[in-house]
Amino acid sequence: MQITGTGHAGMRIDTAAGSVLCDPWVNPAYFASWFPFPDNSELDWETLGRTDYLYVSHLHRDHFDPVHLKRFVSKKATVLLPEYPTSQLEDELRELGFTSFVRTRDNEVCELDGGLRVMIQALTSPTDGPIGDSSLWLEHAGVRVLNQNDARPADLDEFARLGHVHAHMLQFSGAIWYPMVYEMPAVAKRAFGKQKRDRQFDRTWRYINELGASHVFPIAGPPCFLDDDLWQFNDIFGDAGNIFPDQSVFLREYAKIGGSNGVVLLPGSVAEVTAQDCATVHPIPVDEFFAAKREHLELMRDRKRPIIEAEKSTWRHPEINVLKEMKMRMEPLLQSSVYIAKGIGSPVRFDLVGYQDDTTESVVIDFDNREVRPYADERARYGFRVRRELVEHLIFTDEGDWVNSLFLSCRFSATRIGRYNEFIYAFFECLTEERMQYAEGWYDEHERAVDTEDIVLGDWSVQRRCPHLKADLRRFGVVDGDVLTCQLHGWKFDLPSGRCLTSVAQGVRAVPYQPG
Ligand code: FES
């Protein structure tokens, strides 16, 4: 089996029974903030795009690049579809001209021609991307690959039961705006960033150990930031609080815990994976590439500047009345929301900074009273400060997911009083009736699910499944004193009170363990 790196979470898998192109991403995403790193725009996409199968893991824009798919990927390709509860991914791909689909069933192996076997696991909580994220398992001639990409399943049992995996691709770096955009002292930001960076690696080691694959491929990040406004987010300044470490840092950190089977794929690297071995050829030696990372980024910045400027010129829509439009779009959603609105339960403030930085209009989404209105000099637990043109553009393009556009762009600053509130981002991911209905139904089911099993962790007897997204705490739970940390997303719980310390969320059931 041959695996060609195509950048970020992308790869092309070639077998004697056909080729699968996964998540090809080339064009900038999220308001021209994210670019694939290293640059993959010079690859021979005409050839790579002549593929038998296409797998798009989910609709985040660093995985789903409609412009690129339309231009370069053969419409004769058969799409391997995850089993998502909404048809949005299929609809988007049909719109681009794809007509052949294999609708896989969640966690069921699907037999394709020539002995090619695939299984896709779909994660469907409202926080897993825009209603979904997925991983692809593939087997041919006794060689097995798990492309976990940036999905975070509670465990890898479904893949492990299918036999030893030879190549495991997974995310290790950051893909979020925390803590960089938060208005807080630099020292605190660095400390939170360091915690986040460590947690990302801990989670990665856990998945790697759990599957025990022959070879491990760090993928799905980091992106690079080429706009001058965002340049500081690249991990080239020796900042231990930077959440975007690259593949060379992965190899270094992995070596510290004894990991020696890491394989880095640059765009254009080709790995020949067999049941016994993995031989890789690179377009440039990996060490040499990372030693010149800064130079690579600077040259890339110069090349991409016109693209960024062209995008920026499309954002302003002065004819749009932002307050009126937000009111019209969001109030019906607020009315139909039970769990999300209650979970937020306070005003969220948006400060819209004018084109010339001269005026700021403040708008409040009031989750208690289910209305959108002008800010009234009140206390808002969450606040976002954002340039007006970005919100105008979201309204103009009728964007139904502000997480997969505005928030991932990192082009804003945020304030927060108290703990993280996951419901806020669930709301901004669900700005259509269909998504809101789905998310509300999911929370309803989640809340009703009875979780009665307990396990022993340290000196405590605790519920087996994490109250957040049901990770198995036998694997992801770590007790330190009176604090339980679930390493899947890093949420912490105070064991004596059960209270969640990380977020406004359900607490954990815990009592001191009594042997016998
Ligand atoms: S499942 Fe998310 S922190 Fe446990």
Side-chain angles (χ1 to χ4, degrees):
M1 187 181 294
Q2 194 176 73
I3 300 171
T4 304
T6 58
H8 198 64
M11 70 194 77
R12 178 175 154 131
I13 304 172
D14 281 276
T15 73
S19 52
V20 184
L21 185 64
C22 306
D23 286 345
W25 171 47
V26 175
N27 295 293
Y30 315 122
F31 285 105
S33 294
W34 290 36
F35 283 78
F37 169 80
D39 191 2
N40 60 358
S41 56
E42 300 295 311
L43 290 177
D44 177 3
W45 283 108
E46 298 282 356
T47 304
L48 290 166
R50 268 180 246 122
T51 179
D52 300 300
Y53 299 97
L54 169 70
Y55 166 65
V56 175
S57 60
H58 63 303
L59 279 170
H60 268 176
R61 296 289 169 171
D62 53 323
H63 298 258
F64 170 70
D65 180 347
V67 173
H68 187 76
L69 289 170
K70 191 168 178 94
R71 173 149 178 222
F72 288 105
V73 180
S74 164
K75 303 305 169 292
K76 291 189 189 139
T78 296
V79 178
L80 303 173
L81 268 185
E83 188 182 19
Y84 285 139
T86 72
S87 63
Q88 205 181 344
L89 177 56
E90 179 174 345
D91 297 346
E92 299 263 7
L93 289 165
R94 277 194 188 279
E95 187 101 334
L96 295 173
F98 294 94
T99 56
S100 171
F101 293 86
V102 171
R103 290 181 193 81
T104 64
R105 304 294 303 270
D106 193 34
N107 287 330
E108 276 182 26
V109 174
C110 172
E111 310 277 349
L112 302 172
D113 291 344
L116 185 60
R117 307 172 79 220
V118 297
M119 184 175 91
I120 300 179
Q121 181 177 79
L123 305 182
T124 55
S125 93
T127 50
D128 286 314
I131 320 293
D133 197 351
S134 68
S135 304
L136 170 73
W137 173 95
L138 182 148
E139 180 189 56
H140 187 259
V143 178
R144 293 178 206 96
V145 168
L146 172 61
N147 171 11
Q148 189 181 330
N149 86 75
D150 61 357
R152 295 190 205 158
D155 57 55
L156 299 177
D157 289 357
E158 294 293 340
F159 305 109
R161 74 180 167 82
L162 299 173
H164 178 76
V165 169
H166 302 96
H168 181 191
M169 293 83 173
L170 79 170
Q171 187 185 44
F172 64 100
S173 194
I176 194 137
W177 51 89
Y178 174 85
M180 307 89 71
V181 303
Y182 278 87
E183 293 173 18
M184 62 170 90
V187 136
K189 208 179 273 193
R190 193 166 312 118
F192 285 128
K194 167 107 180 49
Q195 266 176 20
K196 171 97 180 71
R197 184 170 162 127
D198 292 346
R199 235 176 28 227
Q200 289 166 184
F201 279 126
D202 286 345
R203 182 175 55 232
T204 308
W205 310 149
R206 199 155 280 268
Y207 280 130
I208 290 173
N209 290 338
E210 190 179 341
L211 199 62
S214 308
H215 306 283
V216 173
F217 296 67
I219 63 157
C224 60
F225 300 89
L226 302 179
D227 189 354
D228 294 337
D229 294 342
L230 308 169
W231 182 248
Q232 70 276 12
F233 296 153
N234 296 302
D235 190 17
I236 49 175
F237 303 101
D239 175 5
N242 185 300
I243 68 155
F244 298 109
D246 64 34
Q247 295 85 341
S248 67
V249 181
F250 167 90
L251 290 180
R252 210 166 57 227
E253 294 297 315
Y254 191 34
K256 285 185 193 164
I257 58 155
S260 57
N261 60 346
V263 181
V264 171
L265 291 183
L266 301 172
S269 297
V270 179
E272 258 330 313
V273 182
T274 66
Q276 293 76 33
D277 198 15
C278 172
T280 312
V281 177
H282 301 287
I284 165 174
V286 170
D287 291 352
E288 202 178 299
F289 173 79
F290 284 101
K293 175 180 178 181
R294 193 187 189 109
E295 195 187 339
H296 175 85
L297 287 176
E298 284 168 354
L299 290 170
M300 197 173 166
R301 176 174 60 178
D302 294 344
R303 285 197 302 276
K304 306 294 183 187
R305 188 161 273 138
I307 297 175
I308 297 172
E309 292 311 316
E311 280 226 21
K312 283 185 171 178
S313 72
T314 66
W315 295 346
R316 286 187 188 184
H317 300 281
E319 72 282 5
I320 288 178
N321 180 327
V322 173
L323 172 61
K324 190 168 148 220
E325 292 293 333
M326 283 176 70
K327 201 170 173 61
M328 200 175 80
R329 283 151 204 258
M330 292 180 180
E331 284 189 351
L333 299 172
L334 290 169
Q335 299 298 341
S336 66
S337 167
V338 177
Y339 288 92
I340 293 179
K342 192 166 135 242
I344 299 170
S346 80
V348 172
R349 173 178 171 177
F350 266 81
D351 291 331
L352 306 164
V353 182
Y355 299 156
Q356 313 297 337
D357 291 345
D358 48 353
T359 52
T360 299
E361 179 185 359
S362 295
V363 170
V364 152
I365 307 171
D366 183 339
F367 287 89
D368 264 339
N369 298 306
R370 318 284 166 106
E371 61 174 352
V372 179
R373 56 173 171 75
Y375 174 64
D377 206 15
E378 66 223 274
R379 189 175 119 110
R381 295 183 73 89
Y382 257 79
F384 299 106
R385 187 173 180 80
V386 55
R387 301 202 65 83
R388 175 176 202 93
E389 58 262 38
L390 299 185
V391 178
E392 288 174 353
H393 192 66
L394 294 171
I395 291 168
F396 181 79
T397 53
D398 207 11
E399 177 60 63
D401 181 352
W402 287 19
V403 169
N404 189 23
S405 48
L406 174 65
F407 292 112
L408 281 169
S409 79
C410 303
R411 292 182 186 274
F412 67 103
S413 65
T415 54
R416 145 179 136 202
I417 301 168
R419 289 172 288 160
Y420 170 71
N421 188 318
E422 180 170 287
F423 291 105
I424 290 182
Y425 297 108
F427 177 78
F428 288 110
E429 274 181 337
C430 295
L431 297 176
T432 67
E433 192 58 37
E434 187 193 23
R435 284 178 177 219
M436 184 56 74
Q437 290 302 322
Y438 171 74
E440 286 289 325
W442 190 92
Y443 283 118
D444 188 44
E445 211 174 285
H446 190 72
E447 184 150 304
R448 283 168 205 271
V450 186
D451 180 7
T452 51
E453 193 181 346
D454 289 331
I455 55 167
V456 176
L457 275 181
D459 297 333
W460 292 86
S461 170
V462 297
Q463 68 186 64
R464 178 174 163 193
R465 296 278 169 188
C466 175
H468 179 218
L469 291 180
K470 306 266 179 249
D472 188 343
L473 292 171
R474 281 181 317 187
R475 293 197 171 112
F476 287 92
V478 175
V479 170
D480 184 9
D482 284 348
V483 175
L484 163 69
T485 302
C486 170
Q487 289 188 321
L488 190 55
H489 305 98
W491 285 25
K492 291 183 187 298
F493 299 87
D494 175 57
L495 287 165
S497 65
R499 187 166 163 264
C500 180
L501 300 171
T502 310
S503 174
V504 180
Q506 213 182 327
V508 73
R509 184 178 64 246
V511 291
Y513 175 57
Q514 310 277 4

